[in-house]
Amino acid sequence: MTALLTIIIVLFVAIALWQMVKIFDLAQVGTTNSQVADDHDNKINGYLMMGFLIFIYLITILSFWYLGDLPLLSNAASEHDVEVDNLMIISMVVIFIVQILTQFVLHFFAYKYRGEKGKKALFYADNTTLEFIWTVIPVIVLAGLIIYGLFTWNDIMNIDEDEDPMVIELYAQQFNWKARYSGADKVLGKANVRLIDIDRANILGVDEEDPNAKDDVIVTELHLPVGEPVVFKMRSQDVLHSAYMPHFRAQMNCVPGMVTQFSFTPTITTADMRENPDMVEKVKNINGLRLERKAEIEEAGQELVYEFDYLLLCNKICGKSHYNMQMKIIVETQEEFDAWMKEQKTFPNSLN
């Protein structure tokens, strides 16, 4: 019903605008209707171009001032976060400088060289020097960004096996996540979608005969010990998903039929992040907004008070419930993690 009313309103607005245009055309009877712009028209367009330039600058400044909490430097929580954030800052600065200069040249030239009666346009059929300049400068800047980005990526993705990292599988399916810990041997048991057996609760298709699977642990809530390097092995059961952990500056596609991986070391526990002043302020603002929708939230059976948690999200539009595909991540001390792990069932004990 709401959609029908919206369509009707849009239709009525379109009809009203059409009628207004007809009235405006009738009101112009007796005035010149030339389709060729004169000096007056060109002058107005020149002033409008300068006005639009000022508008662009104001919007840019206001966006940075009010919405410029990028790249979220106050809530990064992994060892490689500084490198990623630096790359983001450098990219933003370069884009900002280029945008300021190019937009000024574009709009100022449109004003300065606007059409005037008797003025002849001066143009170059070609200018090797100019073409060299505007080709070489972008090449140098982009090459620098790409090389810096590749070094940053290699630093993140090169896993130091000497650190004996924890190995965890992230299993994506429409529309939820499962995590599988490799256990004490830090080797995941073999798995294949053809081995999925719902009747036996083997939901990830883990090979029951593989000895490395005997100490695997499958959970729906991800716990990570702070300061411990973790290697994530990622699989997808159905379509393309993307494992996205924004606070850890981590993202990797989960591709059906293959295993991808990403690694990082969490550096801030969930409890400590909840006490971060910036996070406290954000949570306060969120709860203020939720309080305004108290009746709606309670009717939906949801908790009214929001509390910060790290999240694993899907960053690919994977279907109708994509927005709801998430899993809570808890970063805690080694002692807390060990205590939680002792409460979990190993893979053989989780089967029916």
Side-chain angles (χ1 to χ4, degrees), residues 79 153-167 186 227-233 261-265:
E79 278 192 356
W153 180 252
N154 287 332
D155 288 343
I156 294 170
M157 296 304 293
N158 286 339
I159 302 165
D160 187 356
E161 297 294 344
D162 293 337
E163 294 182 356
D164 194 23
M166 178 186 298
V167 180
K186 296 194 175 181
E228 176 80 12
V230 184
V231 175
F232 292 97
K233 306 284 186 177
Q261 73 176 34
F262 197 101
S263 67
F264 64 82
T265 302

Side-chain angles (χ1 to χ4, degrees), residues 10-27:
V10 170
L11 182 61
F12 282 153
V13 169
I15 293 171
L17 290 173
W18 179 53
Q19 293 294 333
M20 289 175 64
V21 170
K22 289 179 64 178
I23 293 171
F24 178 79
D25 287 341
L26 291 172

